[in-house]
Amino acid sequence: MRAMTMKSTPTFHTLAVLILLSMTGCVSNAPEPMNPRSLAQSAVADTHLGWKPAPAHQLNYSLATSSGIARMEMRELPVDLQALTIELPGMRNVEGVQWRAVNGQQAMLFDGDQGMDGVTLERQRRGYRLQMRGPALESIRNGGFLTVIDYYRN
């Protein structure tokens, strides 16, 4: 039996190269998936930041501290993000949540009594849950520092 071989022609090579180049172009244009872990980091030595999966278009972090002051650095948040939730498991009596933007602007997101529009601070069995949506989320979207201060300090 004789093996069948295909003769290489310049047209075949050109066609093969064009197909490979078009496939390469499609792959390189796809957006990189967002890694939520890279959007925030602890900004204080005794602050420990964890991340948990959340529903689509939401982020869920957990922030623990031994000093009663938790500070996290937020990078620019994706445009399609609709909610940011931060679990504060060790906090006993949150007296304030402050924001300092990359451009230096500051805002009090929660003053111990009430929060700005879009901020909710909910007492949990152990600690608190801080959630930001709407106007509050828009005010932190460009990145900066979030500081949570607990009245009770060890």
Side-chain angles (χ1 to χ4, degrees):
M1 271 183 144
R2 212 165 119 191
M4 294 181 70
T5 59
M6 186 173 177
K7 288 187 178 184
S8 291
T9 63
T11 307
F12 177 74
H13 283 298
T14 304
L15 184 60
V17 168
L18 286 174
I19 290 172
L20 287 174
L21 287 175
S22 67
M23 289 174 136
T24 305
C26 292
V27 173
S28 65
N29 290 336
E32 286 188 35
M34 176 189 70
N35 182 357
R37 290 185 175 107
S38 67
L39 293 176
Q41 67 181 23
S42 298
V44 176
D46 74 340
T47 302
H48 307 286
L49 184 68
W51 173 83
K52 294 184 250 177
H57 308 299
Q58 296 187 28
L59 291 180
N60 189 0
Y61 289 102
S62 180
L63 206 55
T65 178
S66 62
S67 69
I69 298 174
R71 191 166 190 214
M72 63 191 283
E73 179 182 357
M74 301 289 299
R75 292 180 182 84
E76 187 173 347
L77 299 174
V79 176
D80 64 343
L81 188 69
Q82 298 170 359
L84 174 67
T85 303
I86 302 170
E87 306 285 341
L88 303 162
M91 301 281 180
R92 296 184 185 177
N93 189 14
V94 173
E95 69 178 39
V97 179
Q98 301 169 352
W99 176 254
R100 189 184 65 173
V102 174
N103 64 9
Q105 292 182 329
Q106 296 186 23
M108 190 65 138
L109 299 177
F110 181 80
D111 66 5
D113 185 33
Q114 61 183 350
M116 77 180 300
D117 192 25
V119 174
T120 57
L121 187 67
E122 176 185 338
R123 186 177 283 279
Q124 301 290 304
R125 194 172 134 242
R126 291 192 63 221
Y128 286 85
R129 174 180 290 143
L130 173 66
Q131 191 167 63
M132 287 172 269
R133 295 177 174 271
L137 185 63
E138 290 308 314
S139 69
I140 70 168
R141 192 171 297 278
N142 291 330
F145 291 92
L146 181 74
T147 304
V148 180
I149 302 164
D150 192 30
Y151 181 74
Y152 177 84
R153 294 179 182 87
N154 293 333

